[in-house]
Amino acid sequence: MTVLAIVVPCYNEEEMLPETIEQLRALRQQLIDEQLISSESKIVFVDDGSRDRTWTIIYKACLRYEEIKGIKLAGNAGHQHALLAGIIAAKQMAHCVVTMDADLQDDIYVVREFVRKFQEGYDIVYGVRKKRDVDSYMKRWTAETFYRIMNRIGVKLIYNHADYRLMSRRAVEALAQFREVNLFLRGVVPLLGFPSTTVYYDRKERKAGVTKYPFMKMIRFAFDGLTSFSMMPIRFVSLLGFCSFVVSVLFALYVLFLKMTGHTQTGWTSLIMSIWLVGGLQLMAIGLVGEYIGKVYQEAKQRPRYIVDVDLLNGPMIARHEREKLAEEIS
Protein backbone atom coordinates (compact mmCIF):
# COMPACT_ATOMS: atom_id res chain seq x y z
CA MET A 1 0.00 0.00 0.00
CA THR A 2 1.17 3.54 -0.74
CA VAL A 3 3.20 5.22 1.99
CA LEU A 4 2.68 8.98 1.82
CA ALA A 5 4.68 11.81 3.39
CA ILE A 6 3.18 15.30 3.57
CA VAL A 7 5.87 17.98 3.85
CA VAL A 8 4.90 21.38 5.26
CA PRO A 9 7.48 24.20 5.50
CA CYS A 10 6.72 26.66 8.30
CA TYR A 11 7.94 30.15 9.06
CA ASN A 12 6.33 32.07 11.95
CA GLU A 13 3.10 30.09 11.72
CA GLU A 14 2.21 29.78 15.40
CA GLU A 15 -1.29 31.20 14.84
CA MET A 16 -2.22 28.75 12.11
CA LEU A 17 -0.13 25.69 12.93
CA PRO A 18 -2.32 23.99 15.58
CA GLU A 19 -5.29 23.90 13.20
CA THR A 20 -3.05 22.79 10.33
CA ILE A 21 -1.78 19.87 12.39
CA GLU A 22 -5.28 18.73 13.35
CA GLN A 23 -6.67 19.01 9.82
CA LEU A 24 -3.77 17.11 8.28
CA ARG A 25 -4.04 14.38 10.91
CA ALA A 26 -7.75 14.05 10.14
CA LEU A 27 -7.00 13.92 6.40
CA ARG A 28 -4.36 11.24 6.92
CA GLN A 29 -6.78 9.11 8.93
CA GLN A 30 -9.48 9.46 6.27
CA LEU A 31 -7.08 8.30 3.54
CA ILE A 32 -6.04 5.35 5.70
CA ASP A 33 -9.69 4.41 6.32
CA GLU A 34 -10.31 4.58 2.57
CA GLN A 35 -7.29 2.29 2.10
CA LEU A 36 -5.61 4.79 -0.20
CA ILE A 37 -2.48 5.09 1.92
CA SER A 38 -0.65 3.02 4.51
CA SER A 39 -0.79 3.63 8.26
CA GLU A 40 2.97 4.22 8.00
CA SER A 41 2.31 7.55 6.27
CA LYS A 42 3.78 10.61 7.99
CA ILE A 43 3.37 14.38 8.18
CA VAL A 44 6.69 16.26 8.22
CA PHE A 45 6.88 19.88 9.39
CA VAL A 46 10.00 21.91 8.59
CA ASP A 47 10.67 24.94 10.76
CA ASP A 48 12.54 27.46 8.62
CA GLY A 49 14.20 29.40 11.44
CA SER A 50 10.98 30.82 12.89
CA ARG A 51 11.19 33.54 15.55
CA ASP A 52 7.92 32.66 17.27
CA ARG A 53 6.65 29.45 18.92
CA THR A 54 6.40 27.49 15.67
CA TRP A 55 9.10 24.97 16.63
CA THR A 56 7.65 24.48 20.11
CA ILE A 57 4.29 23.60 18.58
CA ILE A 58 5.91 21.17 16.12
CA TYR A 59 7.96 19.56 18.90
CA LYS A 60 4.92 19.05 21.11
CA ALA A 61 3.05 17.49 18.19
CA CYS A 62 5.97 15.10 17.62
CA LEU A 63 5.76 14.01 21.24
CA ARG A 64 2.01 13.53 21.15
CA TYR A 65 1.52 11.88 17.77
CA GLU A 66 3.66 9.19 16.20
CA GLU A 67 2.68 10.23 12.67
CA ILE A 68 4.01 13.79 13.14
CA LYS A 69 7.70 14.40 12.41
CA GLY A 70 9.70 17.59 12.59
CA ILE A 71 12.86 19.19 11.23
CA LYS A 72 14.32 22.42 12.57
CA LEU A 73 16.70 24.36 10.35
CA ALA A 74 19.50 26.26 12.04
CA GLY A 75 18.50 29.51 10.36
CA ASN A 76 16.07 30.97 7.88
CA ALA A 77 17.10 29.26 4.63
CA GLY A 78 14.10 30.49 2.65
CA HIS A 79 10.87 28.82 1.61
CA GLN A 80 12.31 26.91 -1.35
CA HIS A 81 15.24 25.48 0.60
CA ALA A 82 13.03 24.56 3.56
CA LEU A 83 10.74 22.79 1.14
CA LEU A 84 13.68 20.93 -0.38
CA ALA A 85 14.98 19.94 3.06
CA GLY A 86 11.66 18.31 3.90
CA ILE A 87 11.37 16.59 0.52
CA ILE A 88 14.87 15.09 0.70
CA ALA A 89 14.41 13.99 4.30
CA ALA A 90 11.02 12.37 3.62
CA LYS A 91 11.99 10.43 0.51
CA GLN A 92 13.40 7.49 2.50
CA MET A 93 10.19 6.97 4.47
CA ALA A 94 7.60 7.19 1.70
CA HIS A 95 6.72 6.10 -1.83
CA CYS A 96 5.56 9.63 -2.65
CA VAL A 97 5.79 13.10 -1.13
CA VAL A 98 3.16 15.86 -1.13
CA THR A 99 4.29 19.44 -0.44
CA MET A 100 1.97 22.22 0.73
CA ASP A 101 2.04 25.46 2.70
CA ALA A 102 1.02 25.68 6.34
CA ASP A 103 -1.67 28.33 5.84
CA LEU A 104 -4.34 25.83 4.61
CA GLN A 105 -5.18 28.02 1.65
CA ASP A 106 -4.62 25.02 -0.62
CA ASP A 107 -7.46 22.50 -0.47
CA ILE A 108 -5.88 19.66 1.51
CA TYR A 109 -8.53 17.16 0.41
CA VAL A 110 -7.14 17.34 -3.12
CA VAL A 111 -4.38 15.08 -1.74
CA ARG A 112 -6.86 12.24 -2.26
CA GLU A 113 -6.78 12.92 -6.02
CA PHE A 114 -2.99 13.30 -5.92
CA VAL A 115 -2.61 9.79 -4.49
CA ARG A 116 -5.02 8.31 -7.01
CA LYS A 117 -3.09 9.87 -9.87
CA PHE A 118 0.13 8.52 -8.39
CA GLN A 119 -1.37 5.05 -8.22
CA GLU A 120 -2.34 5.40 -11.88
CA GLY A 121 1.36 5.74 -12.74
CA TYR A 122 2.12 9.48 -12.61
CA ASP A 123 5.36 10.54 -10.94
CA ILE A 124 4.42 14.20 -10.57
CA VAL A 125 0.98 15.61 -9.87
CA TYR A 126 0.58 19.40 -9.92
CA GLY A 127 -2.06 21.18 -7.88
CA VAL A 128 -3.36 23.99 -10.10
CA ARG A 129 -5.67 26.77 -9.00
CA LYS A 130 -8.88 27.13 -10.98
CA LYS A 131 -8.95 30.89 -10.46
CA ARG A 132 -7.28 33.63 -8.42
CA ASP A 133 -10.36 35.41 -7.08
CA VAL A 134 -9.06 35.44 -3.48
CA ASP A 135 -6.02 37.48 -4.53
CA SER A 136 -5.89 41.25 -4.82
CA TYR A 137 -5.98 42.73 -8.31
CA MET A 138 -2.29 43.69 -8.16
CA LYS A 139 -1.17 40.24 -6.99
CA ARG A 140 -3.33 38.54 -9.60
CA TRP A 141 -2.06 40.77 -12.41
CA THR A 142 1.62 40.41 -11.46
CA ALA A 143 1.30 36.62 -11.12
CA GLU A 144 -0.38 36.23 -14.49
CA THR A 145 2.20 38.51 -16.11
CA PHE A 146 5.03 36.49 -14.56
CA TYR A 147 3.67 33.19 -15.93
CA ARG A 148 3.24 34.71 -19.41
CA ILE A 149 6.78 36.10 -19.45
CA MET A 150 8.31 32.84 -18.24
CA ASN A 151 6.44 30.79 -20.83
CA ARG A 152 7.30 33.30 -23.56
CA ILE A 153 11.05 32.97 -22.91
CA GLY A 154 10.89 29.19 -22.90
CA VAL A 155 10.78 28.34 -19.17
CA LYS A 156 8.41 25.43 -18.55
CA LEU A 157 6.08 26.55 -15.79
CA ILE A 158 2.69 25.12 -14.90
CA TYR A 159 0.24 28.04 -15.07
CA ASN A 160 -1.29 28.95 -11.68
CA HIS A 161 0.74 26.27 -9.91
CA ALA A 162 2.76 27.16 -6.81
CA ASP A 163 4.35 24.46 -4.63
CA TYR A 164 1.33 22.23 -4.02
CA ARG A 165 2.32 18.98 -5.71
CA LEU A 166 2.98 15.26 -5.36
CA MET A 167 6.29 13.70 -6.34
CA SER A 168 7.21 10.04 -6.47
CA ARG A 169 10.36 8.76 -4.79
CA ARG A 170 12.24 8.49 -8.08
CA ALA A 171 11.22 12.05 -8.96
CA VAL A 172 12.55 13.24 -5.60
CA GLU A 173 15.81 11.32 -6.15
CA ALA A 174 16.17 13.03 -9.53
CA LEU A 175 15.43 16.41 -7.92
CA ALA A 176 18.20 15.78 -5.36
CA GLN A 177 20.72 15.74 -8.22
CA PHE A 178 20.13 19.45 -8.86
CA ARG A 179 22.79 21.17 -6.77
CA GLU A 180 22.04 24.81 -7.56
CA VAL A 181 21.89 27.30 -4.69
CA ASN A 182 19.51 29.66 -6.48
CA LEU A 183 16.62 27.24 -6.18
CA PHE A 184 13.33 27.77 -8.00
CA LEU A 185 11.37 24.54 -7.63
CA ARG A 186 8.50 25.62 -9.87
CA GLY A 187 10.95 25.71 -12.74
CA VAL A 188 13.12 22.74 -11.73
CA VAL A 189 10.39 20.12 -11.22
CA PRO A 190 9.03 20.30 -14.81
CA LEU A 191 12.60 19.72 -16.04
CA LEU A 192 12.61 16.24 -14.52
CA GLY A 193 10.59 14.93 -17.45
CA PHE A 194 8.71 12.17 -15.63
CA PRO A 195 5.03 11.45 -16.43
CA SER A 196 2.95 14.23 -14.90
CA THR A 197 -0.61 15.44 -14.69
CA THR A 198 -2.61 18.23 -13.03
CA VAL A 199 -5.43 18.38 -10.50
CA TYR A 200 -7.50 21.57 -10.25
CA TYR A 201 -8.80 23.04 -7.00
CA ASP A 202 -10.18 26.22 -5.46
CA ARG A 203 -7.83 28.18 -3.23
CA LYS A 204 -9.17 29.49 0.08
CA GLU A 205 -8.48 32.66 2.00
CA ARG A 206 -5.93 32.65 4.81
CA LYS A 207 -7.66 32.18 8.18
CA ALA A 208 -4.86 33.43 10.44
CA GLY A 209 -1.40 34.94 10.29
CA VAL A 210 0.00 37.01 7.47
CA THR A 211 1.30 36.08 4.04
CA LYS A 212 5.01 35.30 3.85
CA TYR A 213 5.12 36.71 0.30
CA PRO A 214 4.30 40.44 0.39
CA PHE A 215 4.48 42.37 -2.86
CA MET A 216 8.20 43.23 -2.86
CA LYS A 217 9.26 39.74 -1.77
CA MET A 218 7.05 38.29 -4.49
CA ILE A 219 8.75 40.53 -7.06
CA ARG A 220 12.20 39.39 -5.87
CA PHE A 221 11.07 35.77 -6.00
CA ALA A 222 9.82 36.21 -9.57
CA PHE A 223 13.06 37.96 -10.63
CA ASP A 224 15.14 35.17 -9.08
CA GLY A 225 13.12 32.61 -11.01
CA LEU A 226 13.52 34.58 -14.22
CA THR A 227 17.29 35.02 -13.96
CA SER A 228 17.85 31.45 -12.73
CA PHE A 229 16.37 29.87 -15.83
CA SER A 230 16.95 32.17 -18.75
CA MET A 231 19.57 34.40 -20.38
CA MET A 232 16.78 36.29 -22.11
CA PRO A 233 16.87 39.37 -19.80
CA ILE A 234 20.55 40.04 -20.43
CA ARG A 235 20.06 39.41 -24.15
CA PHE A 236 17.16 41.87 -24.10
CA VAL A 237 19.39 44.52 -22.53
CA SER A 238 22.01 43.83 -25.20
CA LEU A 239 19.38 44.28 -27.89
CA LEU A 240 18.17 47.45 -26.19
CA GLY A 241 21.74 48.78 -26.13
CA PHE A 242 22.17 48.00 -29.83
CA CYS A 243 18.90 49.76 -30.68
CA SER A 244 19.98 52.74 -28.58
CA PHE A 245 23.26 52.85 -30.51
CA VAL A 246 21.43 52.80 -33.86
CA VAL A 247 19.09 55.59 -32.72
CA SER A 248 22.10 57.63 -31.54
CA VAL A 249 23.83 57.23 -34.91
CA LEU A 250 20.67 58.32 -36.74
CA PHE A 251 20.28 61.27 -34.39
CA ALA A 252 23.94 62.26 -34.96
CA LEU A 253 23.42 62.14 -38.75
CA TYR A 254 20.30 64.28 -38.35
CA VAL A 255 22.17 66.89 -36.28
CA LEU A 256 25.05 66.87 -38.79
CA PHE A 257 22.57 67.45 -41.60
CA LEU A 258 21.02 70.42 -39.74
CA LYS A 259 24.46 71.91 -39.18
CA MET A 260 25.40 71.59 -42.85
CA THR A 261 22.18 73.26 -43.92
CA GLY A 262 22.49 76.03 -41.33
CA HIS A 263 19.40 75.13 -39.28
CA THR A 264 21.07 74.33 -35.98
CA GLN A 265 19.78 75.97 -32.80
CA THR A 266 21.34 76.11 -29.40
CA GLY A 267 19.58 74.14 -26.67
CA TRP A 268 20.12 71.59 -23.97
CA THR A 269 16.87 69.54 -23.94
CA SER A 270 17.95 66.99 -26.51
CA LEU A 271 21.40 66.74 -24.92
CA ILE A 272 20.07 66.12 -21.41
CA MET A 273 17.50 63.60 -22.65
CA SER A 274 20.22 61.71 -24.52
CA ILE A 275 22.49 61.65 -21.47
CA TRP A 276 19.69 60.41 -19.22
CA LEU A 277 18.64 57.75 -21.70
CA VAL A 278 22.12 56.38 -22.26
CA GLY A 279 22.97 56.62 -18.56
CA GLY A 280 19.80 54.79 -17.57
CA LEU A 281 20.46 52.02 -20.09
CA GLN A 282 24.01 51.65 -18.84
CA LEU A 283 22.98 51.43 -15.20
CA MET A 284 20.26 48.91 -16.03
CA ALA A 285 22.69 46.80 -18.04
CA ILE A 286 25.34 46.91 -15.30
CA GLY A 287 22.76 45.96 -12.68
CA LEU A 288 21.48 43.01 -14.70
CA VAL A 289 24.99 41.75 -15.44
CA GLY A 290 25.74 42.10 -11.73
CA GLU A 291 22.69 39.98 -10.91
CA TYR A 292 24.00 37.12 -13.04
CA ILE A 293 27.54 37.52 -11.68
CA GLY A 294 26.12 37.43 -8.16
CA LYS A 295 24.36 34.15 -8.90
CA VAL A 296 27.57 32.68 -10.32
CA TYR A 297 29.36 33.85 -7.17
CA GLN A 298 26.82 32.12 -4.94
CA GLU A 299 27.03 28.90 -6.91
CA ALA A 300 30.84 28.94 -6.98
CA LYS A 301 31.11 29.10 -3.18
CA GLN A 302 29.19 25.81 -2.92
CA ARG A 303 27.87 26.59 0.53
CA PRO A 304 25.19 24.25 1.94
CA ARG A 305 21.69 25.27 0.97
CA TYR A 306 20.41 24.64 4.48
CA ILE A 307 21.69 23.33 7.81
CA VAL A 308 19.54 21.06 9.98
CA ASP A 309 19.58 21.93 13.67
CA VAL A 310 17.21 19.24 15.01
CA ASP A 311 15.97 16.19 13.10
CA LEU A 312 12.99 14.39 14.65
CA LEU A 313 12.28 12.05 11.76
CA ASN A 314 13.50 9.11 13.83
CA GLY A 315 11.94 10.25 17.07
CA PRO A 316 12.45 13.03 19.63
CA MET A 317 15.35 11.35 21.47
CA ILE A 318 17.86 13.38 19.43
CA ALA A 319 17.37 16.41 21.65
CA ARG A 320 16.72 14.79 25.03
CA HIS A 321 16.96 17.97 27.13
CA GLU A 322 14.32 19.72 25.02
CA ARG A 323 12.14 16.61 25.07
CA GLU A 324 12.07 16.48 28.86
CA LYS A 325 11.29 20.17 29.14
CA LEU A 326 8.42 20.06 26.63
CA ALA A 327 7.06 16.80 28.05
CA GLU A 328 6.52 18.62 31.35
CA GLU A 329 4.64 21.40 29.56
CA ILE A 330 2.38 18.90 27.79
CA SER A 331 1.50 17.09 31.01
Side-chain angles (χ1 to χ4, degrees), residues 17-262:
L17 199 52
E19 183 176 354
T20 302
I21 292 173
E22 293 306 316
Q23 289 201 26
L24 290 181
R25 289 187 63 243
L27 170 66
R28 172 186 174 274
Q29 190 57 51
Q30 288 182 22
L31 297 181
I32 292 174
D33 294 341
E34 295 170 11
Q35 297 185 348
L36 280 176
I37 64 174
S38 167
S39 59
E40 297 297 318
S41 300
K42 307 296 182 183
I43 305 170
V44 181
F45 291 93
V46 182
D47 177 27
D48 185 22
S50 298
R51 296 188 297 269
D52 59 6
R53 296 180 62 257
T54 294
W55 176 244
T56 301
I57 296 172
I58 294 173
Y59 209 134
K60 287 182 178 180
C62 292
L63 294 174
R64 284 178 176 152
Y65 311 116
E66 184 181 355
E67 66 271 19
I68 301 294
K69 302 297 179 182
I71 299 174
K72 184 179 187 297
L73 302 186
N76 180 236
H79 178 268
Q80 297 291 282
H81 290 144
L83 201 59
L84 181 67
I87 293 172
I88 300 301
K91 72 175 180 177
Q92 300 299 331
M93 66 172 65
H95 299 130
C96 58
V97 177
V98 169
T99 59
M100 66 173 65
D101 291 334
D103 54 19
L104 294 182
Q105 287 189 269
D106 296 322
D107 184 1
I108 63 174
Y109 295 99
V110 174
V111 172
R112 180 180 288 104
E113 297 301 319
F114 284 3
V115 174
R116 287 174 177 162
K117 293 295 184 182
F118 168 74
Q119 293 172 346
E120 291 175 8
Y122 292 100
D123 286 282
I124 303 172
V125 184
Y126 300 102
V128 178
R129 298 169 61 171
K130 293 180 181 178
K131 49 189 176 181
R132 307 187 69 98
D133 52 346
V134 299
D135 292 340
S136 64
Y137 172 78
M138 179 59 67
K139 186 173 182 179
R140 183 167 59 249
W141 181 81
T142 53
E144 292 174 350
T145 301
F146 170 69
Y147 282 113
R148 291 194 188 99
I149 292 175
M150 294 294 278
N151 287 324
R152 183 67 61 87
I153 65 178
V155 181
K156 296 180 180 179
L157 288 186
I158 307 300
Y159 187 72
N160 274 345
H161 164 71
D163 290 300
Y164 190 27
R165 69 178 72 88
L166 176 146
M167 300 179 65
S168 68
R169 182 183 294 172
R170 72 165 183 162
V172 173
E173 289 174 348
L175 176 64
Q177 298 178 34
F178 286 75
R179 307 306 304 170
E180 55 205 68
V181 174
N182 300 287
L183 189 63
F184 185 64
L185 288 174
R186 302 180 197 183
V188 171
V189 174
L191 294 178
L192 301 180
F194 293 120
S196 62
T197 187
T198 57
V199 173
Y200 294 90
Y201 69 97
D202 291 314
R203 187 171 172 84
K204 305 173 185 177
E205 294 185 3
R206 173 183 277 270
K207 295 182 180 180
V210 296
T211 177
K212 303 306 182 293
Y213 274 97
F215 180 73
M216 290 307 299
K217 189 173 181 180
M218 185 175 63
I219 294 297
R220 288 197 300 269
F221 179 70
F223 191 70
D224 284 342
L226 183 63
T227 53
S228 294
F229 278 85
S230 177
M231 294 294 294
M232 189 63 69
I234 201 166
R235 289 171 183 166
F236 174 76
V237 170
S238 299
L239 178 62
L240 196 61
F242 176 76
C243 292
S244 176
F245 172 75
V246 172
V247 171
S248 300
V249 170
L250 294 177
F251 185 73
L253 293 175
Y254 173 69
V255 172
L256 183 61
F257 172 77
L258 291 179
K259 182 176 182 179
M260 293 177 63
T261 56

Side-chain angles (χ1 to χ4, degrees), residues 55 59 70-74 307-312 318-319 322:
W55 176 244
Y59 209 134
I71 299 174
K72 184 179 187 297
L73 302 186
I307 297 175
V308 176
D309 184 13
V310 182
D311 182 350
L312 301 183
I318 298 175
E322 290 188 47

